[in-house]
Amino acid sequence: MVKEEIQTNNGVNVQYRRKRNKREMRHQLISFLLMIFLTLVAFFVVGYGDFSVWFVIPFILILASVQVGFQLYYFMHMSNKGHEAPALFIYSAVLVAFVTILAFITIIWI
Amino acid sequence: MNSYAQKRGFLATLWDYLTTVDHKKIAILYLVAGGFFFVLGGIEALLIRVQLAVPNNDFMSADMFNQVMTMHGTTMIFLAAMPLLFALMNAVLPLQIGARDVAFPFINALGFWLFLFGGIFLNLSWFLGGAPDAGWTSYASLSLASEGKRIDFYTLGLQISGFGTLMAGINFIVTIINMRTTGMTYMRMPMFTWTTFVACSLILFAFPPLTISIFFLIFDRLFGAQFFNVDMGGNTIIWEHLFWIFGHPEVYILVLPAFGIFSEVISTFSRKRLFGYASMVFATVLIGFLGFMVWAHHMFTTGLGPIANAIFAVATMAIAVPTGIKIFNWLLTMWGGSIKLTTPMLYAVAFIPSFVIGGVTGIMNAASVADYQYHDTYFVVGHFHYVILGGVVFAVLAGLHFYWPKMFGTMLNETLGKITFWLFLIGFHLTFFVQHFLGLMGMPRRTFTFLEGQGLETGNYISSIGSVLMAVASVILVINIIITSVKNKKVGNDPWGDGRTLEWSISSPPPYYNFKQLPLVRSIDAYWHEKMEGRKEMPPAEPLGDIHMPNPSFIPFMISFGLFIAAFGAMYRPDYSWGLPVLIGGLVITFGSMLVRSLKDDLGTYIKKEELDDDKGVKA
Ligand SMILES: [Cu+2]
């Protein structure tokens, strides 16, 4: 089969798109494997390792935020162009929620 | 099929408004409903001032005073100020960014009907056993102790109207991000669009805490939960925090659009580009962010401890910096401009010193140590009325006069407008300036009367006279509106003669599709730019073609009506057996309507190109 250079409506080259899809697929696969690995690590730390609570809780929270990052950037395409507005709103919300939770655990519950 | 030309009967018009998804008609709905609640809240304010005019007054009982005072605050904030601002946003914003409608016309209508049904529900409390009486902040320990159904009207009513506000906010955010015309970059957006954008982002982040805290209170009062009940291990302070995490940004939700209106008015009538546009945008965004880090300044005397108090005090004072930037920018916009003192401009000029007074007393309150002296006194009442009347109400009145021709195609009478302005300005300062000193002399906030011989008589008497002047001003405004509507003298595209932004480039009121061809924006103050280049109209950004428009729908009304019914069911469920079926029935109406909306395809209609050619007098 002969590969043709077809121009789509918005001027994006089909061959280029195929290449990009391939690359994205690879990224998704890698991050999928990483996420499974991180989940296993989290289970191991909680279930089998003999670590103190003061290590375990921050550690799995960090793993969780890494997973959220993978999810947003590789599976929900936030790394692609044109996602600046959602990113701005997500980070603003994270900031607001963080300040709220910080205030609640520092001046209300303790 | 030109629906504008047809003479229509009353019922047809009513049905038109009940089902409309057109942002210009929704603006009128918001204006009428918000105006109604503004009058209601104003009457409540007058009742308060009558009661406090003389010492030891028995015009109303302490219980009645609590209800009137609570409903005055709640009505003015949630049912008057916000809807009136939404009216102006709906009327102007899509035009300013060169859009044919908002991003979600259906959601826009839904937002209005939810607000209206929530507001009606709240006010029905007057006829069904008494109105809420725990203050507009409705602190949990107070509201859990309130007997009867009063607080339930507050929680359920505000919850419904809060959903509406949240939807309206999201709709405007998406509209501004997605619907700007060609060339309308972020840094070419008019200031009112920018401030609306930031205010709606604040709605998006601030209303969920309110929704949650109100749900907690609903569950506590109606469904046996114990979130705020200290005896059962709850924590009453959580309400205060959640309420103020919403409550402080709420001030900016109100005042930022007000800033935007004044920016437009000052720039238009100084006939100059807004001074320091980029710094204005920066200041607006910064105020938005800082607004979420200061809420505990309402709670300095709760006992948060010196460290928390100090942090929140410093953060609060930091907000004075971007606000100061704005004040200087407005002054420098006027500096050297060729100023025309029209009614909107008078409000804008009067706003600056009034708002600065409110800002300065705000800094005084922010000093957490000094705040122990001011807390819960009339000093605070004076402060926030300077901010909200001197900022938001002045802006609504300025915006009403300024955009009236764009909304209705007629000009309000300038002489009557100026009389309204002067009476309102004098009445406003008479009413609230003395309240600072009453507070410093020790008069507590929300007190239903005071004693003779404590030096509070003169101040309170002056305050009451001032409120009468504001009432007279409002009556003259209504007369002005009636006269203008009866005369019905139509005006052209740009009746002020100095319009700078896109809304002034199309007819007043605009056709229902706004722009025949979407305009091409080549500069900030796009229309002014074209006028300076010698053109009479905007260059088009697209060839003339079919225009896609959404269909009207009755479903938003039904969704809101279902929640209204469900609220009654939820409220009476603990006392009557019919409560639960009514609750379920209401929810069935709401979710059934949503289901119909989801399953029935509604692809909208097209206005054909040929039809557009027939419409004379509407260009680009
Ligand atoms: Cu505040």
Side-chain angles (χ1 to χ4, degrees), chain B residues 244-326:
Chain B
W244 287 117
I245 288 172
F246 146 78
H248 189 81
E250 168 70 15
V251 180
Y252 298 130
I253 294 169
L254 294 175
V255 92
L256 286 178
F259 287 172
I261 292 167
F262 285 129
S263 301
E264 305 288 335
V265 168
I266 289 175
S267 154
T268 303
F269 294 115
S270 303
R271 290 178 254 195
K272 263 178 75 186
R273 205 185 130 162
L274 187 66
F275 186 91
Y277 172 83
S279 69
M280 280 298 223
V281 172
F282 169 74
T284 308
V285 176
L286 193 62
I287 290 175
F289 269 105
L290 288 176
F292 278 96
M293 292 157 206
V294 299
W295 75 88
H297 64 211
H298 298 267
M299 305 167 58
F300 283 149
T301 60
T302 310
L304 304 174
I307 297 173
N309 275 7
I311 293 171
F312 282 105
V314 172
T316 305
M317 292 182 195
I319 295 187
V321 177
T323 316
I325 293 176
K326 282 176 163 275

Side-chain angles (χ1 to χ4, degrees), chain A residues 5-105:
Chain A
E5 294 260 315
I6 310 161
Q7 296 286 321
T8 52
N9 275 344
N10 38 11
V12 180
N13 184 303
V14 167
Q15 215 173 12
Y16 164 74
R17 270 176 117 168
R18 267 195 206 128
K19 216 152 93 195
R20 200 187 59 187
N21 285 349
K22 216 174 194 176
R23 198 177 58 221
E24 266 183 8
M25 194 60 186
R26 201 167 59 231
H27 282 161
Q28 288 190 345
L29 263 178
I30 294 170
S31 49
F32 180 64
L33 290 175
L34 269 173
M35 284 166 91
I36 288 181
F37 174 69
L38 291 180
T39 313
L40 289 176
V41 171
F43 270 106
F44 175 76
V45 171
V46 176
Y48 298 100
D50 188 20
F51 303 107
S52 91
V53 187
W54 289 101
F55 169 74
V56 171
I57 291 175
F59 185 68
I60 56 176
L61 280 178
I62 290 172
L63 291 188
S65 45
V66 171
Q67 295 232 23
V68 170
F70 274 135
Q71 171 74 23
L72 288 175
Y73 279 89
Y74 289 104
F75 288 102
M76 298 177 75
H77 300 282
M78 243 173 73
S79 50
N80 294 11
K81 256 199 187 143
H83 290 65
E84 292 82 8
L88 176 71
F89 276 87
I90 287 174
Y91 287 119
S92 305
V94 167
L95 184 70
V96 170
F98 175 74
V99 172
T100 306
I101 292 169
L102 186 71
F104 269 61
I105 56 179

Side-chain angles (χ1 to χ4, degrees), chain B residues 352-560:
Chain B
I352 294 178
S354 306
F355 192 80
V356 167
I357 294 173
V360 168
T361 51
I363 295 292
M364 291 170 74
N365 286 324
S368 55
V369 185
D371 184 64
Y372 275 78
Q373 201 64 36
Y374 312 133
H375 190 85
D376 266 350
T377 69
Y378 257 79
F379 187 83
V380 177
V381 177
H383 155 70
F384 69 71
H385 279 91
Y386 262 80
V387 173
I388 294 189
L389 256 95
V392 183
V393 176
F394 277 22
V396 166
L397 292 172
L400 196 67
H401 286 84
F402 189 50
Y403 291 119
W404 190 270
K406 202 39 76 184
M407 289 178 80
F408 298 99
T410 54
M411 282 288 254
L412 287 174
N413 183 303
E414 276 287 285
T415 316
L416 286 177
K418 281 173 185 163
I419 295 172
T420 307
F421 164 75
W422 282 109
L423 282 177
F424 202 90
L425 180 73
I426 295 167
F428 159 65
H429 283 288
L430 272 184
T431 308
F432 296 110
F433 197 73
V434 284
Q435 291 189 353
H436 295 108
F437 298 99
L438 288 173
L440 293 178
M441 283 186 268
M443 181 168 165
R445 182 183 176 181
R446 292 168 174 166
T447 185
F448 92 103
T449 190
F450 54 94
L451 295 177
E452 265 170 280
Q454 297 183 328
L456 303 176
E457 289 101 326
T458 324
N460 273 301
Y461 195 65
I462 294 174
S463 188
S464 294
I465 291 178
S467 65
V468 173
L469 286 187
M470 282 193 280
V472 174
S474 309
V475 171
I476 295 178
L477 176 64
V478 173
I479 293 174
N480 192 357
I481 290 173
I482 293 171
I483 291 179
T484 309
S485 313
V486 171
K487 272 190 186 162
N488 201 18
K489 196 165 144 258
K490 295 289 178 197
V491 293
N493 291 5
D494 186 11
W496 297 103
D498 299 305
R500 308 181 71 82
T501 40
L502 289 177
E503 71 267 31
W504 304 109
S505 70
I506 50 175
S507 64
S508 324
Y512 58 108
Y513 46 82
N514 294 353
F515 297 92
K516 200 181 240 180
Q517 290 165 286
L518 292 180
L520 175 68
V521 172
R522 299 197 279 190
S523 160
I524 187 172
D525 291 344
Y527 184 48
W528 182 263
H529 175 80
E530 300 302 332
K531 282 199 276 190
M532 290 299 106
E533 304 263 290
R535 286 185 203 82
K536 289 246 158 49
E537 55 201 43
M538 297 300 301
E542 57 174 15
L544 195 60
D546 296 354
I547 296 176
H548 180 245
M549 296 299 287
N551 281 328
S553 172
F554 191 56
I555 296 176
F557 185 95
M558 289 309 290
I559 293 177
S560 315

Side-chain angles (χ1 to χ4, degrees), chain B residues 134 138-147 151 216-217 219-221 225-230 236:
Chain B
S138 206
Y139 276 11
S141 20
L142 206 52
S143 46
L144 287 182
S146 173
E147 311 217 324
I151 301 299
F216 283 174
L217 198 53
F219 293 158
D220 270 17
R221 282 186 57 95
Q226 311 290 349
F227 291 108
F228 302 124
N229 187 352
V230 181
T236 179

